[in-house]
Amino acid sequence: MKPSILSLSMLAGLVACQNSSSPLPTTIIPTPTTAIALSGSTVANPAAFTTALTLHVEDLWDLFVGPVSTATVNTTVSATPIPTHELIPPPSLFYSSFPSGQQIPLASKNESWKFPAGFWWGVASAAYQVEGAAKAEGRGPSIWDVLLHRVTGYTVANQTGDVADNQYYLYKQDIARIAALGVKTYSFSISWSRVFPFGNGPVNELALAHYDDVINTCIEFGVEPAVTLYHWDLPLNLQNTYGGWLGPQVVDDFVAYAKVVFGRYGNKVPRWFTVNEPIVFCNNYPLPDHYFTNTSIPKIQQPFWCGHYVLLAHAKAYHLAKSMGINGTVSFKTNGGYKIPLTNSSEDAVAVQRAWDFNEGWFANPTFLTGDYPKYLKDFVSGFLPEFTDEEKSMINGTSDVYAHDAYTSQFYMAPDSGIQACTSNTSHRLYPSCANTTYSYTTADGGWNVGPAADPLSPWLHKATDWMPLFLRYIQDTWHPSGGIAITEFGFAEPFEALKTLKADIQFDPIRSSYYREYMEAILMAISEGVNVVGTLAWSIVDNLEWNSGFQDKFGVQYVNLTTQERAYKASFFEYVNAFKLYGTDPVTPHFVSS
């Protein structure tokens, strides 16, 4: 494979100025002055010296990441039949004929509820969180390999994605396990740095052949593949070469990557997603100092430069897919919860709208409404981002076939204690620039209760707030008017303190997560019955996985994973999720099994 060339100056870990409001320079990689004064003379500045390095993929690992762990199993494992006893639902969804005597309150079916024909549902994952096989078959490192290997204190338990759930080799069994419960869709992401180890340049055929088989295995088991091109694992080489999502070069590199993937898998995939949760991965900028090539973009501006190039990259990839004859839907996945005003004050109403503008509206307004940013966000970014041209606005608008939303929870919003004006005029205010404060609790006058039960402490942002979902779905429909409907492309719950449990049987019974899935599906059914066009759902996640800097301590899986043996086991919540479609689905839930 052709090596990558980096200049040595790109390896320097320099600290960028945070408060400058100057426009973007010609290059975002700062160049020191070439000369300095010495005893009254001018001499060459050694900080400006450069050299060229020719790096192979292995060099990127050795220089920037270091040694990685490998799994005991490092060849693809064939699927085996799922034992019949594992497919038996838990009480109270199932009781055997003996012993008898259990009594539960009668819960009548709501005959006015129904998932429409063609409603697609399933489970989701992401490459870095489940695949493992970090260096296998030519994968290049991503920024997350550096973040979790090298950055002190970045992860709560010093855990990495080196092995994870080893799904790179166990995907056949994982697909067989969900097919045995009748799951219709498996949503996964492709690792950009597997296909392009340097992020651009040479293409890795071994990676493409691997994902060929993942997709074909889904189809073999009657499971529709849904593919995300980018789920946060940016190729490290792109970050170090030009700043990753902060550099304009990323647009063309992303589109070139999309072209290879679209061209390879095309219409085998009925649902495509370009990027996952740009609100989150753009707000991961600035990356930690001293571990990546420095950038001259002020830190407070970096998330919004990222968002600017994400919108352009997504829009170009969307139009590319259509020009290539892709018949499936093409969308991107945004995220966030319903924004509830804490009080009925005018200040809180403004804070709520600012929160929408700096979150969902950041990407949804350009793609569904105008091709441009919403008001409060635009007021902020107009001081440093270039205006989208009329041609760019036209290109961006209308580039999402479905409103795909990762919607886990809801929370209250209110004005800062000092007021919105005091915040927007003070760049050092902790809530600047959104200037919208949040809480998960009702006011003291309303009892001070949380909006719902809290998830695991490692997910302090997550509370069970399913009672707000019908209103949230209605808001999305009325605000952004998605012609292709709304899909909830991630939702799930981190069962509190599940990582502390040691008995598998205790882990499998996850009562809060089970009630979350049951009540969430009921909320969607309510919204559908009231005229909201919801077209699909994807539960997060297919298995317990690496939850980024929370490691494996924060459990979202509807299946348990023993990280030593890689054994999987269904949790009660998985059966609760499937049961919603057995009760209310128009289409039958049809299991597919491994041929014995």
Side-chain angles (χ1 to χ4, degrees):
M1 182 172 287
K2 184 179 178 181
S4 176
I5 299 176
L6 292 178
S7 99
L8 188 60
S9 63
M10 293 177 181
L11 309 182
L14 305 174
V15 180
C17 171
Q18 296 188 41
N19 299 316
S20 169
S21 59
S22 59
L24 186 69
T26 304
T27 173
I28 67 166
I29 307 301
T31 302
T33 56
T34 58
I36 57 175
L38 176 66
S39 302
S41 302
T42 299
V43 300
N45 180 5
F49 294 172
T50 64
T51 190
L53 298 177
T54 300
L55 302 179
H56 293 270
V57 176
E58 190 71 23
D59 298 326
L60 288 179
W61 286 102
D62 291 345
L63 284 171
F64 296 104
V65 180
V68 302
S69 301
T70 57
T72 303
V73 175
N74 52 25
T75 57
T76 301
V77 176
S78 297
T80 57
I82 313 303
T84 304
H85 73 271
E86 289 193 37
L87 302 174
I88 298 172
S92 58
L93 293 176
F94 172 82
Y95 291 108
S96 61
S97 59
F98 185 88
S100 60
Q102 306 96 327
Q103 290 179 276
I104 58 173
L106 177 66
S108 59
K109 177 181 177 181
N110 188 325
E111 297 297 338
S112 68
W113 289 350
K114 182 68 69 175
F115 292 109
F119 190 96
W120 49 271
W121 60 277
V123 292
S125 72
Y128 187 72
Q129 295 179 265
V130 299
E131 282 186 348
K135 294 170 63 174
E137 299 187 324
R139 176 181 175 269
S142 76
I143 58 172
W144 276 94
D145 293 290
V146 174
L147 291 169
L148 298 188
H149 270 269
R150 298 289 302 277
V151 182
T152 303
Y154 202 82
T155 171
V156 298
N158 197 31
Q159 294 169 327
T160 74
D162 291 357
V163 175
D165 299 295
N166 206 25
Q167 194 181 88
Y168 193 77
Y169 299 116
L170 302 179
Y171 62 90
K172 290 180 183 288
Q173 189 68 9
D174 280 346
I175 292 166
R177 289 186 64 82
I178 64 173
L181 290 185
V183 171
K184 290 181 176 293
T185 302
Y186 180 35
S187 177
F188 59 92
S189 73
I190 288 176
S191 168
W192 186 350
S193 66
R194 285 197 193 277
V195 178
F196 285 86
F198 300 113
N200 53 25
V203 177
N204 181 6
E205 173 60 28
L206 296 178
L208 292 173
H210 168 78
Y211 291 114
D212 265 329
D213 200 48
V214 174
I215 290 169
N216 290 339
T217 301
C218 285
I219 295 168
E220 174 190 348
F221 281 96
V223 175
E224 291 185 335
V227 174
T228 300
L229 294 177
Y230 179 75
H231 195 126
W232 304 6
D233 46 352
L234 180 73
L236 174 64
N237 188 57
L238 301 188
Q239 184 61 41
N240 281 342
T241 302
Y242 54 71
W245 286 107
L246 304 182
Q249 302 96 318
V250 76
V251 176
D252 287 343
D253 281 344
F254 180 77
V255 173
Y257 161 55
K259 184 175 183 178
V260 169
V261 176
F262 288 151
R264 183 68 170 236
Y265 311 120
N267 290 319
K268 284 186 175 182
V269 177
R271 276 169 282 280
W272 290 95
F273 304 101
T274 56
V275 296
N276 178 81
E277 297 184 1
I279 297 168
V280 177
F281 72 76
C282 284
N283 274 305
N284 265 353
Y285 285 106
L287 297 175
D289 291 329
H290 311 303
Y291 296 94
F292 305 94
T293 303
N294 187 32
T295 170
S296 60
I297 297 177
K299 291 186 175 183
I300 198 169
Q301 296 179 12
Q302 289 184 26
F304 305 98
W305 281 105
C306 170
H308 185 80
Y309 294 126
V310 166
L311 281 164
L312 293 172
H314 157 76
K316 288 188 175 184
Y318 176 91
H319 290 294
L320 171 69
K322 299 305 180 181
S323 72
M324 295 176 69
I326 299 295
N327 294 327
T329 59
V330 182
S331 309
F332 74 98
K333 293 191 281 183
T334 184
N335 70 284
Y338 187 63
K339 289 146 187 57
I340 314 162
L342 184 64
T343 74
N344 62 359
S345 71
S346 58
E347 276 273 281
D348 284 2
V350 172
V352 166
Q353 188 55 56
R354 293 186 66 88
W356 286 118
D357 284 8
F358 276 83
N359 289 278
E360 285 87 341
W362 183 1
F363 296 94
N365 278 46
T367 51
F368 286 97
L369 296 180
T370 64
D372 204 356
Y373 299 116
K375 177 187 182 309
Y376 290 115
L377 178 60
K378 189 167 184 178
D379 288 347
F380 171 66
V381 302
S382 61
F384 55 89
L385 284 187
E387 285 270 349
F388 286 127
T389 65
D390 289 343
E391 182 182 2
E392 287 171 333
K393 290 176 185 177
S394 178
M395 178 185 70
I396 293 168
N397 195 11
T399 56
S400 203
D401 296 331
V402 175
Y403 192 106
H405 198 71
D406 298 355
Y408 286 81
T409 189
S410 296
Q411 64 191 102
F412 300 101
Y413 281 80
M414 66 283 197
D417 292 343
S418 58
I420 291 174
Q421 177 59 39
C423 175
T424 57
S425 60
N426 178 7
T427 59
S428 64
H429 195 288
R430 70 178 185 87
L431 296 174
Y432 184 85
S434 71
C435 295
N437 206 355
T438 65
T439 180
Y440 292 97
S441 301
Y442 285 88
T443 64
T444 303
D446 290 325
W449 291 95
N450 272 350
V451 70
D456 191 275
L458 288 174
S459 290
W461 54 271
L462 179 55
H463 291 70
K464 179 172 164 281
T466 50
D467 47 340
W468 287 98
M469 274 310 299
L471 185 58
F472 188 13
L473 292 166
R474 170 66 67 184
Y475 182 89
I476 291 172
Q477 181 163 288
D478 291 348
T479 302
W480 291 290
H481 315 291
S483 60
I486 303 164
I488 301 301
T489 41
E490 282 184 27
F491 70 116
F493 198 80
E495 188 78 11
F497 306 107
E498 192 171 285
L500 300 181
K501 296 180 179 180
T502 57
L503 297 178
K504 186 176 79 170
D506 290 347
I507 295 169
Q508 287 180 269
F509 243 125
D510 48 350
I512 303 181
R513 186 187 291 116
S514 294
S515 66
Y516 173 93
Y517 276 112
R518 181 177 61 254
E519 293 170 23
Y520 201 116
M521 301 316 296
E522 291 172 347
I524 290 176
L525 286 162
M526 279 190 271
I528 291 172
S529 72
E530 295 167 359
V532 180
N533 184 21
V534 185
V535 298
T537 60
L538 296 169
W540 185 269
S541 171
I542 183 176
V543 288
D544 289 332
N545 59 64
L546 179 83
E547 286 296 335
W548 306 106
N549 57 345
S550 294
F552 300 99
Q553 307 305 109
D554 204 12
K555 307 291 188 179
F556 276 85
V558 292
Q559 294 183 85
Y560 156 77
V561 177
N562 181 315
L563 293 172
T564 301
T565 66
Q566 292 294 341
E567 171 200 9
R568 275 74 157 140
Y570 301 116
K571 297 179 188 177
S573 56
F574 203 162
F575 291 97
E576 195 69 64
Y577 178 47
V578 173
N579 191 58
F581 300 100
K582 290 182 176 180
L583 279 177
Y584 293 108
T586 299
D587 301 328
V589 175
T590 306
H592 292 77
F593 300 106
V594 178
S595 299
S596 54

